[in-house]
Amino acid sequence: MYMDRDVLIYALLLTMVMIALVLVGESRPDVYLSITILMYFIYTSINYSIRSRARLRILDAILLFVFLAIVTYRVLEVLRVI
Amino acid sequence: MEYRYLVAGINIALISIIFIVFSLLSSNNVVLGISISTLVLGSLLLTIGITYTPPLRDLLRIYVSDADLFINKIFEDSGLVSNHRFKICLDRGLATFSNKNIDCRDITPGLGVVGDTIYISIPIKSLITRTTSELVPESRTELLDYLREVLVGRYGVCKDIIVEEGDDEISVELISITREAKSLMNTPINSIRIAIPSIISRFLGRSIEVVHEEFVRGNYIVRVRRV
């Protein structure tokens, strides 16, 4: 029951953020993805009930890797390396 | 495993993949970004669905570990830990451990003495009625199918079962005991060791004695004899 509520809250937060990004005219896909990943880590850290009921280590590792790849790409882009 | 989240996760992931393909074909970056974010949500639900553990089970597992320690201490003090005969007295609903052979009719729940025989008998009435309420032995099911239904399908004790029936003895091998079940088998007297013969006895409809048990390469073999 609490898990349902927590997942629903996360989905609603995600929807609100996506709508906000669309309204400000953001068109870079990696921004959407990196914001989603940040929200995932922040929400599952604040609300620990999802982590206590499910093993999210593999998903954490994958999303962290993707986030680092996005950040690295953007940093290299700013530094005009790529 | 929680199937609701699994189904929801698969659905959301599939829909987002479809939209990702659509956005790549139509070069729409906004839809691509939203679809990828939705894929993250689908992955989260999928992961929750696959790895979900109900909260009460954790509390019960903790209690069972402590209860096992308590029971084993009693067995140690009575001298029955290492050397005992193990019998399921079906009519009395008792799992009995004794230093010598003992008639089921002489046994009462708890710690007792009959003549020079010490015994400890543990009530198993709920165990043998609940595990079989949906699958009645009289419905002409084979022991192998029955054990697969209960131990593999319903309770996830192991991955598969092998049954060899002889004239007097039945050998049941539980293939690849699951990690959760193994965590409950850390003490000589444990819930899994009591549950397996109890379920077999209930299917056979008669009392049995456990004549041999061993753990071989992750498989648990128990041989029982009808009494």
Side-chain angles (χ1 to χ4, degrees), chain B residues 34-96:
Chain B
I34 294 172
S35 309
I36 294 175
S37 302
T38 315
L39 186 60
V40 172
L41 176 63
S43 308
L44 175 62
L45 289 175
L46 208 62
T47 308
I48 291 173
I50 292 169
T51 62
Y52 183 76
T53 51
L56 187 57
R57 194 191 294 180
D58 294 340
L59 179 65
L60 292 174
R61 197 181 299 134
I62 293 167
Y63 173 73
V64 166
S65 297
D66 285 346
D68 271 351
L69 290 175
F70 165 69
I71 290 171
N72 278 271
K73 186 68 176 75
I74 294 179
F75 273 79
E76 265 177 44
D77 293 345
S78 60
L80 288 175
V81 163
S82 51
N83 182 24
H84 55 254
R85 300 178 75 125
F86 178 18
K87 197 188 268 190
I88 303 294
C89 297
L90 185 67
D91 293 340
R92 306 298 305 278
L94 296 170
T96 304

Side-chain angles (χ1 to χ4, degrees), chain A residues 32-51:
Chain A
Y32 287 86
L33 182 56
S34 47
I35 296 288
T36 303
I37 293 173
L38 278 173
M39 272 184 57
Y40 161 81
F41 280 113
I42 293 169
Y43 184 75
T44 54
S45 299
I46 294 173
N47 186 346
Y48 206 67
S49 66
I50 294 180
R51 287 197 177 275

